[in-house]
């Protein structure tokens, strides 16, 4: 069975339960979960909302990133979903989960998965600020 259980970029709400269910595995002693949400401030500026967009190759790149993590760590199950479209404060923007035989491996693999996703998958965020200004942040930039 493929250890990559769920990979998707979608324009509908994300579900923590769905992602955790996807990585449930009796061989795993540890599961690490990361949830990224829309925050109210960025670098001291009040965020009012944001919008994510993705290049058509984003899911292919997400799979490449996931396969690399699965090859580098003893992953028993892995899942990652990222939202696109308009999001409000508090909305879930990204969820990743990795199950491994031990917790240290799960933490390390999960960290690599979210970091590589943010740096390598062509997804861009347009932040709208309360003062009416906007800012684009994309793959390879901190956000």
């Amino acid at each position: 069975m493929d250890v990559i259980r769920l990979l998707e970029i979608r324009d509908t709400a994300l579900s923590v339960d769905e992602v955790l269910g996807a990585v449930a595995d009796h061989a795993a002693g540890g599961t690490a979960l990361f949830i990224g949400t829309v925050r109210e401030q960025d670098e001291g500026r009040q965020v009012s909302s944001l919008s994510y967009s993705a290049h058509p190759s984003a899911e292919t790149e997400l799979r490449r990133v996931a396969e690399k993590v699965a090859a580098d760590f003893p992953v028993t199950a892995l899942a990652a979903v990222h939202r696109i479209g308009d999001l409000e404060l508090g909305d879930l923007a990204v969820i990743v989960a990795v199950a491994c035989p031990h917790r240290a491996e799960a933490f390390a693999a999960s960290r690599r998965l979210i970091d590589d996703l943010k740096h390598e998958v062509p997804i861009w965020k347009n932040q709208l600020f309360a003062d009416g200004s906007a800012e684009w942040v994309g793959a390879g930039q901190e956000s």
Side-chain angles (χ1 to χ4, degrees):
M1 181 177 202
D2 189 7
V3 298
I4 299 173
R5 307 276 177 83
L6 172 64
L7 289 179
E8 205 170 297
I9 297 170
R10 61 173 73 146
D11 61 1
T12 57
L14 305 183
S15 165
V16 173
D17 289 340
E18 175 190 23
V19 173
L20 279 175
V23 298
D25 193 296
H26 293 297
T31 299
L33 173 75
F34 172 81
I35 303 166
T37 58
V38 178
R39 63 183 176 265
E40 67 181 355
Q41 288 198 13
D42 188 21
E43 297 182 10
R45 296 166 62 186
Q46 188 71 31
V47 174
S48 57
S49 65
L50 58 81
S51 180
Y52 281 100
S53 59
H55 188 273
S57 69
E59 282 196 2
T60 300
E61 290 303 306
L62 179 57
R63 176 156 293 278
R64 183 187 58 74
V65 164
E67 288 172 349
K68 180 83 168 96
V69 170
D72 291 348
F73 295 91
V75 172
T76 60
L78 178 152
V81 291
H82 201 297
R83 178 112 180 250
I84 57 172
D86 297 333
L87 283 78
E88 300 298 324
L89 296 179
D91 283 350
L92 305 182
V94 61
I95 305 171
V96 302
V98 180
C100 292
H102 304 284
R103 72 178 175 275
E105 300 157 340
F107 280 128
S110 176
R111 174 70 182 248
R112 168 85 69 75
L113 179 58
I114 189 60
D115 286 351
D116 289 356
L117 185 161
K118 296 299 274 181
H119 285 92
E120 298 178 26
V121 178
I123 297 173
W124 302 279
K125 173 174 66 174
N126 185 17
Q127 295 189 109
L128 305 174
F129 297 101
D131 66 6
S133 64
E135 174 185 59
W136 282 96
V137 180
Q141 299 174 324
E142 283 302 313
S143 58

